[in-house]
Amino acid sequence: MVQKKEWAIPQTFVQQFAANEYVAACGDENEVYKFECNAGGFFGEGGTVFLETNGEDGLQIPGDQCVALAGYHPCGETHEAPTTDEFLKGYFKPLTGLKFKEVIVWRGTDGNNVHVTANLDMNSWETAKS
Amino acid sequence: MKWLHRKPEDPAQENIPMPSEVQPKVINVDDPDKRFQANPNYLLREIGGESILVPIGDAGELSNSVISLNETSSFLWQQFQSPTTIQEAVAEAEKLYTDSAGVMAEHIKLFVISYLKIGLLQEV
């Protein structure tokens, strides 16, 4: 007969490595991206913007964080966004239509606005010295 | 016409009802028939005498993590390799462990809730 062991509380230890998401090279501190705020619907209309926050690829509702509830509109302007800022993976869901598309979100200089680009290739973004 | 940005709205302040689609997900583990399964993007490996979950594939936010489990967590992880109810996991645990404090079932329920929250378990 197998000797039973005393039950112990299940414990899990997660050690997360901080990824080197951005390593500033010499001179990059004053560099900005020309961030084109251009993500819109078929008719150029605005919509709702979500951030990819639940770690599961694709838009999940509920799951991913809504940062602009039908309150986002593409202004079509090109913002100067410091290259050291965070550029977040997100999703744009237009007011008309059901399909969402993947976008990159920049929260603006104060970190509380919503600027969205449909150009997912950051390497193609124009840069400039600020 | 120039479109202007609006700051993210606070539905509470603007009296806009928050749609159900953005409500926080409610995890219901009280359904006795509900089955849960380990996320296949993590593999359990014994490394240096420790049980470690190794993220593979699309492991999400824990992809850069080392996840070590104690013996009972490791046991439960193995139980949930196939779709399993909490009650079934408790029954299997009772075969191997004594529970003099009467806390095993509650611990397993909390294990499931915690693992669902961080994506290590999935609802089936």
Side-chain angles (χ1 to χ4, degrees), chain A residues 2-19 37 44-45 48 50 53-57 60-64 66-77 79 93 107 110 112-116, chain B residues 2-9 11 16-25 58-73 75-76 93-101 103-104 107-108 111 115 118 120:
Chain A
V2 178
Q3 181 75 31
K4 286 187 180 182
K5 291 181 274 189
E6 181 62 29
W7 175 260
I9 187 169
Q11 292 181 314
T12 303
F13 306 94
V14 178
Q15 185 179 8
Q16 198 152 22
F17 298 111
C37 188
E45 77 276 21
T48 300
F50 299 84
T53 52
N54 70 348
E56 192 175 337
D57 203 31
Q60 283 84 41
I61 305 172
D64 290 318
C66 174
V67 289
L69 184 60
Y72 160 79
H73 297 284
C75 65
E77 289 186 3
H79 304 286
K93 192 175 173 188
R107 300 305 304 269
D110 296 329
N112 60 1
N113 212 325
V114 179
H115 304 280
V116 185
Chain B
K2 183 179 174 184
W3 292 100
L4 295 176
H5 289 297
R6 293 176 64 191
K7 286 185 178 178
E9 295 157 346
I16 301 171
M18 181 70 88
S20 58
E21 64 177 15
V22 292
Q23 293 285 350
K25 189 176 184 180
D58 184 14
E61 61 183 325
L62 294 178
S63 58
N64 291 326
S65 304
V66 170
I67 306 159
S68 62
L69 314 182
N70 71 350
E71 183 190 325
T72 47
S73 281
F75 167 81
L76 291 172
E94 286 172 341
K95 292 178 185 173
L96 272 183
Y97 297 95
T98 59
D99 181 26
S100 54
V103 292
M104 180 191 288
H107 283 173
I108 294 176
F111 171 91
Y115 271 42
I118 58 176
L120 291 175

Side-chain angles (χ1 to χ4, degrees), chain B residues 2-69:
Chain B
K2 183 179 174 184
W3 292 100
L4 295 176
H5 289 297
R6 293 176 64 191
K7 286 185 178 178
E9 295 157 346
D10 181 346
Q13 286 184 6
E14 300 197 11
N15 293 322
I16 301 171
M18 181 70 88
S20 58
E21 64 177 15
V22 292
Q23 293 285 350
K25 189 176 184 180
V26 177
I27 298 172
N28 178 18
V29 296
D30 292 326
D31 179 354
D33 297 323
K34 190 78 188 166
R35 293 182 177 275
F36 306 95
Q37 186 169 13
N39 185 333
N41 288 313
Y42 298 87
L43 295 179
L44 182 63
R45 291 286 181 266
E46 294 290 326
I47 301 172
E50 279 197 70
S51 300
I52 305 288
L53 284 183
V54 180
I56 59 167
D58 184 14
E61 61 183 325
L62 294 178
S63 58
N64 291 326
S65 304
V66 170
I67 306 159
S68 62
L69 314 182

